[in-house]
């Protein structure tokens, strides 16, 4: 599987040009890093790949198929935002289970998937807590677990670690590489 941005241009209604002649292609399973100054269009590129934003021109192509017109839920992509919002009234377990409940998976499958993903992210002990009872690093792991639990082919992470202190950021970054190796999905990391 190959994923490509082809000659993408994005102009917002106020005239801001966020992306212009943006071309990028990579293979499924890669860990792609987007690096650039603030305002250079990294979030816009992620949102376009996730289907949350339509390009003004150009195309998003997966495996030779133009998916530019597909809605977010028709794409096999999931996104972790910088200001990831966990559902405050749901437990960690229910936060992670949510994408599977929306997809009407069987209860037993949901339970297995939630526990597997919590194990992978080392938050298995936290499943009964609510978000306000978590540290920043723990909440971040829950957000990543929630994004990955339904096994999307593409996981977009838009500065997911920027709320963490420097040491925790380094540690979590190394862990994301381990998780990437285990899941063998495509990671796009801003
Ligand atoms: P980055 O993530 O690299 O910081 P963004 O993709 O968020 O950059 O933004 C790229 C440019 O588009 C910036 O100039 C930003 O101000 C502008 N922009 C982003 N979203 C909107 C919007 N909804 N309306 C107008 N301008 C926007
Ligand atoms: Mg951004």
């Amino acid at each position: 599987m190959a994923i490509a941005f082809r000659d993408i241009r994005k102009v917002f209604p106020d005239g801001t040009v966020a992306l212009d002649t943006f071309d990028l292609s990579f293979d499924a399973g890669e860990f792609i890093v987007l690096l650039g100054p603030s305002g250079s269009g990294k979030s816009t590129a992620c949102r376009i790949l996730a289907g949350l934003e339509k390009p003004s021109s150009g195309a998003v192509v997966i495996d030779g198929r133009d998916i530019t017109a597909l809605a977010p839920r028709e794409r096999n992509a999931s996104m972790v935002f910088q200001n990831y919002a966990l559902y405050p009234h749901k437990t960690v377990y229910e936060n992670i289970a949510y994408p599977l409940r929306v997809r009407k998976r069987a209860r037993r499958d949901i339970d297995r998937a939630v526990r597997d993903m919590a194990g992978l992210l080392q938050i298995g002990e936290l499943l009964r807590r609510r978000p306000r009872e978590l540290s920043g690093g723990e909440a971040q792991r829950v957000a990543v677990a929630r994004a990955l639990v339904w096994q999307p082919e593409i996981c977009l992470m838009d500065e997911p670690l920027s709320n963490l202190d420097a040491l925790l950021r380094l540690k979590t970054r190394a862990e994301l590489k381990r998780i990437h190796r285990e899941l063998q999905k495509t990671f796009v990391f801003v």
Side-chain angles (χ1 to χ4, degrees), residues 39 42-44 82 158-159 190:
K42 306 177 299 294
S43 293
T44 304
Q82 177 175 346
D158 190 2
E159 306 200 45
V190 174

PDB file of all heavy atoms in Angstrom, residues 39 42-44 82 158-159 190, ligand 2:
ATOM      1  N   GLY A  39       2.902  26.929  11.657  1.00  0.00           N
ATOM      2  CA  GLY A  39       2.216  27.580  10.551  1.00  0.00           C
ATOM      3  C   GLY A  39       2.615  27.049   9.183  1.00  0.00           C
ATOM      4  O   GLY A  39       2.152  27.555   8.159  1.00  0.00           O
ATOM      5  N   LYS A  42       1.592  21.597   8.722  1.00  0.00           N
ATOM      6  CA  LYS A  42       1.664  20.196   9.159  1.00  0.00           C
ATOM      7  C   LYS A  42       0.292  19.675   9.591  1.00  0.00           C
ATOM      8  O   LYS A  42      -0.127  18.600   9.177  1.00  0.00           O
ATOM      9  CB  LYS A  42       2.669  20.059  10.325  1.00  0.00           C
ATOM     10  CG  LYS A  42       4.044  20.629  10.019  1.00  0.00           C
ATOM     11  CD  LYS A  42       4.976  20.540  11.221  1.00  0.00           C
ATOM     12  CE  LYS A  42       4.517  21.303  12.445  1.00  0.00           C
ATOM     13  NZ  LYS A  42       4.496  22.772  12.278  1.00  0.00           N
ATOM     14  N   SER A  43      -0.390  20.458  10.429  1.00  0.00           N
ATOM     15  CA  SER A  43      -1.717  20.009  10.890  1.00  0.00           C
ATOM     16  C   SER A  43      -2.688  19.930   9.723  1.00  0.00           C
ATOM     17  O   SER A  43      -3.500  19.002   9.640  1.00  0.00           O
ATOM     18  CB  SER A  43      -2.274  20.971  11.943  1.00  0.00           C
ATOM     19  OG  SER A  43      -1.491  20.914  13.107  1.00  0.00           O
ATOM     20  N   THR A  44      -2.598  20.895   8.831  1.00  0.00           N
ATOM     21  CA  THR A  44      -3.488  20.893   7.669  1.00  0.00           C
ATOM     22  C   THR A  44      -3.270  19.621   6.836  1.00  0.00           C
ATOM     23  O   THR A  44      -4.233  18.985   6.394  1.00  0.00           O
ATOM     24  CB  THR A  44      -3.257  22.153   6.816  1.00  0.00           C
ATOM     25  OG1 THR A  44      -3.444  23.303   7.648  1.00  0.00           O
ATOM     26  CG2 THR A  44      -4.224  22.216   5.650  1.00  0.00           C
ATOM     27  N   GLN A  82      -3.100  17.378  19.362  1.00  0.00           N
ATOM     28  CA  GLN A  82      -2.270  17.965  20.421  1.00  0.00           C
ATOM     29  C   GLN A  82      -3.100  18.149  21.692  1.00  0.00           C
ATOM     30  O   GLN A  82      -2.678  17.810  22.783  1.00  0.00           O
ATOM     31  CB  GLN A  82      -1.727  19.303  19.939  1.00  0.00           C
ATOM     32  CG  GLN A  82      -0.910  20.022  20.984  1.00  0.00           C
ATOM     33  CD  GLN A  82      -0.294  21.289  20.413  1.00  0.00           C
ATOM     34  OE1 GLN A  82      -0.275  21.475  19.191  1.00  0.00           O
ATOM     35  NE2 GLN A  82       0.201  22.131  21.274  1.00  0.00           N
ATOM     36  N   ASP A 158      -0.606  14.406  15.728  1.00  0.00           N
ATOM     37  CA  ASP A 158      -0.275  15.813  15.531  1.00  0.00           C
ATOM     38  C   ASP A 158       0.282  16.407  16.829  1.00  0.00           C
ATOM     39  O   ASP A 158      -0.478  16.802  17.701  1.00  0.00           O
ATOM     40  CB  ASP A 158      -1.521  16.571  15.074  1.00  0.00           C
ATOM     41  CG  ASP A 158      -1.191  17.978  14.620  1.00  0.00           C
ATOM     42  OD1 ASP A 158      -0.005  18.347  14.634  1.00  0.00           O
ATOM     43  OD2 ASP A 158      -2.130  18.703  14.256  1.00  0.00           O
ATOM     44  N   GLU A 159       1.585  16.456  16.943  1.00  0.00           N
ATOM     45  CA  GLU A 159       2.267  16.942  18.147  1.00  0.00           C
ATOM     46  C   GLU A 159       1.648  16.369  19.419  1.00  0.00           C
ATOM     47  O   GLU A 159       1.284  17.097  20.336  1.00  0.00           O
ATOM     48  CB  GLU A 159       2.246  18.476  18.189  1.00  0.00           C
ATOM     49  CG  GLU A 159       2.809  19.077  16.914  1.00  0.00           C
ATOM     50  CD  GLU A 159       3.251  20.516  17.080  1.00  0.00           C
ATOM     51  OE1 GLU A 159       3.926  20.825  18.085  1.00  0.00           O
ATOM     52  OE2 GLU A 159       2.940  21.332  16.200  1.00  0.00           O
ATOM     53  N   VAL A 190       3.757  14.359  13.695  1.00  0.00           N
ATOM     54  CA  VAL A 190       4.182  15.758  13.542  1.00  0.00           C
ATOM     55  C   VAL A 190       5.072  16.117  14.719  1.00  0.00           C
ATOM     56  O   VAL A 190       4.649  16.000  15.875  1.00  0.00           O
ATOM     57  CB  VAL A 190       2.958  16.704  13.518  1.00  0.00           C
ATOM     58  CG1 VAL A 190       3.433  18.156  13.503  1.00  0.00           C
ATOM     59  CG2 VAL A 190       2.087  16.415  12.316  1.00  0.00           C
TER      60      VAL A 190
HETATM   61 MG1  LIG B   2      -0.145  22.115  13.941  1.00  0.00          MG
END
